Amino acid sequence: MSPLTGKTVVVSGVGAGLGHQVAAAVVRDGGNAVLGARTEANLAKSAAEIDPDGAHTAYRATDVRDEGQCEALAALARERFGRIDAVVHVAARDSYFGGLEDADFATWQSVIDVNLLGTLRMTRACLPGLKERGGSVVFIGTQSAVAAPSQVRQAAYAASKGALTSAMYSLARELGPHRIRVNTVLPGWMWGPPVRAYVQFTARTEGVGEDEVLRRLTGRMALPELASDADVADAAVFLASDRARAITGQSLLVNAGELMR
């Protein structure tokens, strides 16, 4: 039996990259995937690719900054499939760059509203369903929260994800009596649309080949290639499944061995 057979997983932030891969892995492993993101067209495209006959997917346009929309996505999962067994949080604002000296704190607040508070809103919306049978909450964090990269500055993103990882410990204690597990996946440089764009931009800017930019990145890693968004999705789906039934309050780096802790 597949590890998610008969289970329903809510996935926030489904677009062309990691969110799509998480939803695809849920369906591949026998589960039902309920997709949320702000753009309905992206959801429809993802669902059609993952599940052409629509038997194992449902979707609703969802902005995690809006509590009512989070509740509506959780309600869709229960209406369509009768249960919520896990929620994987991919929705994030990761496109704001910079450090402290050039910080626009209004933008920092918007990053925190999505990455920290939006994740917590969506988690709370799913709690009634999760409490019925127990289940799993999986946060997508970032390696940058524990080791700042030298190539780019994303202080706001790292701070928001670091706060989310800290919240994980409290939630693991609070929700554990309901048999709800809470864990975090920490991707490093992850081959998918954002990193592909970084490699292409850097190669054009510096007048070097994309292979050279990739070589610099992989040269820092124990394994000779970047983890992919599918690799990160597999880790998230493992934590969502009963195969991780005794794991809670943990952070798992998926980074090809760039950082070891």
Side-chain angles (χ1 to χ4, degrees):
M1 181 180 294
S2 297
L4 291 176
T5 297
K7 296 187 180 296
T8 298
V9 181
V10 175
V11 185
S12 73
V14 175
L18 178 57
H20 174 80
Q21 293 295 338
V22 170
V26 168
V27 174
R28 177 201 67 198
D29 286 354
N32 304 309
V34 179
L35 288 56
R38 290 183 299 168
T39 305
E40 187 167 1
N42 291 343
L43 295 171
K45 183 175 185 293
S46 186
E49 291 177 4
I50 293 166
D51 180 38
D53 65 6
H56 297 286
T57 55
Y59 60 86
R60 186 186 297 275
T62 306
D63 187 333
V64 296
R65 295 172 296 182
D66 185 306
E67 193 159 4
Q69 292 185 37
C70 292
E71 291 171 352
L73 185 65
L76 174 64
R78 299 179 79 181
E79 290 163 7
R80 176 70 189 278
F81 299 113
R83 58 194 292 162
I84 298 175
D85 298 282
V87 54
V88 180
H89 298 282
V90 184
R93 181 172 180 184
D94 61 0
S95 57
Y96 174 65
F97 294 87
L100 177 62
E101 287 190 314
D102 57 352
D104 173 359
F105 285 125
T107 304
W108 274 60
Q109 286 179 319
S110 70
V111 171
I112 290 167
D113 193 25
V114 173
N115 297 355
L116 174 61
L117 299 179
T119 298
L120 297 178
R121 288 186 195 100
M122 193 68 245
T123 299
R124 186 162 68 177
C126 291
L127 283 183
L130 290 169
K131 284 182 176 181
E132 290 178 2
R133 300 174 183 82
S136 176
V137 177
V138 182
F139 297 155
I140 301 297
T142 175
Q143 178 179 285
S144 298
V146 294
S150 58
Q151 297 91 341
V152 295
R153 289 183 179 175
Q154 275 188 302
Y157 179 68
S160 66
K161 292 291 193 174
L164 187 61
T165 300
S166 294
M168 172 193 73
Y169 299 115
S170 295
L171 295 183
R173 288 288 184 191
E174 177 185 351
L175 303 180
H178 301 286
R179 290 185 167 81
I180 299 171
R181 299 173 288 105
V182 188
N183 294 288
T184 302
V185 177
L186 302 175
W189 286 92
M190 176 181 69
W191 187 249
V195 172
R196 186 180 297 112
Y198 166 81
V199 169
Q200 292 169 344
F201 173 79
T202 302
R204 287 196 306 270
T205 301
E206 298 184 7
V208 299
E210 293 179 17
D211 287 348
E212 168 61 19
V213 180
L214 274 173
R215 186 193 62 76
R216 295 177 201 166
L217 295 177
T218 57
R220 304 160 60 96
M221 297 167 187
L223 298 173
E225 62 182 304
L226 300 184
S228 69
D229 50 11
D231 295 322
V232 175
D234 282 341
V237 168
F238 162 71
L239 290 172
S241 77
D242 287 343
R243 289 179 175 173
R245 64 182 297 273
I247 301 174
T248 195
Q250 304 300 318
S251 297
L252 176 61
L253 283 160
V254 183
N255 64 357
E258 179 183 11
L259 173 69
M260 303 182 190
R261 301 174 72 230

